[in-house]
Amino acid sequence: MTLNTMKRHVREGSKNIWRNGWMTVASVGAVTTTLVLVGIFLALMLNLNHVATNLEEDVHIKALIELTAEEEEIEQIKSEIEDMAEVETIEFSTKDQELESLIADMGEEGKVWEMYQQDNPLNHAYIVKTEDPQDTELVASKIESIENIYEVEYGKDVVENLFQFNSYARSIGIVLIIGLIFTAIFLISNTIKITIMARKKEIGIMKLVGATNGFIRWPFFVEGLLLGVLGSIIPILIVIFGYFYIEKFVNFGQQFYFIELLPFNQLAWQLSLIILAIGAGIGVWGSVMSVRKFLKV
């Protein structure tokens, strides 16, 4: 395809946007309405994924060492844990550090444990993190079998429920977004189909004089692309400004300490690019599918 031909297709596709008047408004409106919902769900999904990832990264294994273990045996435990392929980091925590952590975590009630500072009954421990949080249970079971390990703690029930919830939430979110995208494709393809029907004779004449399917299709391709991009602008602005307000004026951290929203700039870029790509894809797909039946003359 020559540059002049490409310019012609872009020019014709752009003109069609203005020629169709209210049908263009209807097409853009169909994309806009659906993409507002898609954008809201995307913002929720991106934040849910962010929160879920942070929670999963906080999952760790605490391997308590037998009180009778010698220094060499403690080093041997470390060596065996480090040899596990799934392990990312391992950190030694003395029993004094464990006591300080316990006192700090329990707040006012932790003061009771201060009497044990001279005669500490707690165990030394190794804090282990896996490269993939999903391997936590596997690694915990391996550590349990190591000699001189007193107990392994990783909140089994909580971890399993967390992973299961994250999996379900992500799957449901993806299904909803895909459903909304297909709804948008259906709406815009039917709207564009009406505009193309008005040019059915024009397409037929072009076919009869020897125009190829590609030559006829390209202006509609450009038109669909522009409709999708135009329909993406308002959803992007609505969702981004809405998110800016929520992040600035609603402090989730005070009410839910484990919720940390995505930074505004990060979400704005991600969301804008995704919605723009979805809008353009919907416009192109709807236009191409609509014009296809009229190319059979």
Side-chain angles (χ1 to χ4, degrees):
M1 183 187 297
T2 65
L3 181 60
N4 287 334
T5 304
M6 189 63 195
K7 286 181 179 178
R8 181 262 174 194
H9 293 326
V10 173
R11 187 171 59 251
E12 287 299 312
S14 302
K15 285 180 180 178
N16 289 340
I17 295 289
W18 301 106
R19 286 174 185 166
N20 295 328
W22 286 108
M23 292 310 301
T24 295
V25 174
S27 299
V28 171
V31 179
T32 298
T33 302
T34 312
L35 287 187
V36 167
L37 296 175
V38 172
I40 292 171
F41 273 103
L42 275 172
L44 290 172
M45 280 297 299
L46 289 171
N47 275 285
L48 175 63
N49 188 64
H50 179 67
V51 171
T53 300
N54 287 341
L55 289 173
E56 288 175 356
E57 287 177 353
D58 285 340
V59 173
H60 62 268
I61 302 165
K62 180 179 287 189
L64 303 179
I65 303 167
E66 290 280 4
L67 293 172
T68 56
E70 300 292 336
E71 188 173 336
E72 290 182 2
E73 293 171 326
I74 293 174
E75 285 297 318
Q76 178 61 31
I77 292 171
K78 179 181 180 182
S79 178
E80 290 187 41
I81 294 175
E82 286 178 333
D83 288 341
M84 297 178 188
E86 301 85 359
V87 171
E88 181 179 31
T89 62
I90 177 171
E91 180 184 347
F92 183 67
S93 177
T94 66
K95 62 180 182 180
D96 291 333
Q97 290 173 324
E98 288 293 295
L99 182 59
E100 289 175 7
S101 177
L102 179 64
I103 293 171
D105 290 343
M106 294 185 68
E108 289 295 323
E109 296 178 2
K111 292 181 179 180
V112 176
W113 285 87
E114 290 179 358
M115 68 177 69
Y116 294 103
Q117 288 176 335
Q118 299 300 321
D119 186 18
N120 191 339
L122 300 182
N123 306 70
H124 296 310
Y126 279 116
I127 311 300
V128 181
K129 284 193 174 184
T130 59
E131 291 186 2
D132 184 352
Q134 300 286 342
D135 291 330
T136 299
E137 186 175 358
L138 172 64
V139 173
S141 64
K142 288 183 179 180
I143 294 175
E144 281 179 336
S145 64
I146 297 176
E147 191 175 355
N148 289 307
I149 289 293
Y150 171 70
E151 188 178 3
V152 175
E153 300 175 352
Y154 68 98
K156 181 178 179 180
D157 293 337
V158 175
V159 168
E160 288 178 353
N161 290 334
L162 171 66
F163 291 155
Q164 190 174 47
F165 172 78
N166 291 345
S167 176
Y168 286 154
R170 286 166 175 159
S171 299
I172 291 171
I174 290 170
V175 169
L176 288 172
I177 289 171
I178 291 174
L180 287 169
I181 290 173
F182 275 105
T183 301
I185 292 174
F186 174 78
L187 288 172
I188 194 172
S189 63
N190 279 282
T191 307
I192 293 175
K193 192 180 294 182
I194 297 172
T195 68
I196 293 173
M197 286 179 67
R199 287 175 276 169
K200 182 179 179 181
K201 288 185 179 180
E202 178 187 338
I203 294 172
I205 292 170
M206 292 176 70
K207 285 284 291 180
L208 291 173
V209 298
T212 64
N213 287 346
F215 187 84
I216 298 170
R217 186 183 286 118
W218 266 102
F220 291 104
F221 179 95
V222 173
E223 182 181 350
L225 178 65
L226 292 175
L227 288 173
V229 170
L230 289 172
S232 302
I233 295 173
I234 294 177
I236 289 173
L237 294 175
I238 290 174
V239 177
I240 285 179
F241 280 112
Y243 188 82
F244 177 79
Y245 174 84
I246 290 172
E247 188 195 40
K248 187 172 182 178
F249 297 105
V250 181
N251 193 344
F252 281 97
Q254 292 182 351
Q255 300 177 32
F256 309 100
Y257 70 92
F258 56 89
I259 293 182
E260 180 186 346
L261 296 179
L262 272 172
F264 173 76
N265 289 337
Q266 183 179 343
L267 181 125
W269 279 106
Q270 290 181 4
L271 200 66
S272 297
L273 292 174
I274 293 172
I275 292 179
L276 201 61
I278 292 174
I282 287 172
V284 169
W285 180 264
S287 184
V288 170
M289 291 297 101
S290 298
V291 77
R292 185 174 59 175
K293 65 176 292 187
F294 298 106
L295 294 177
K296 299 174 183 179
V297 177

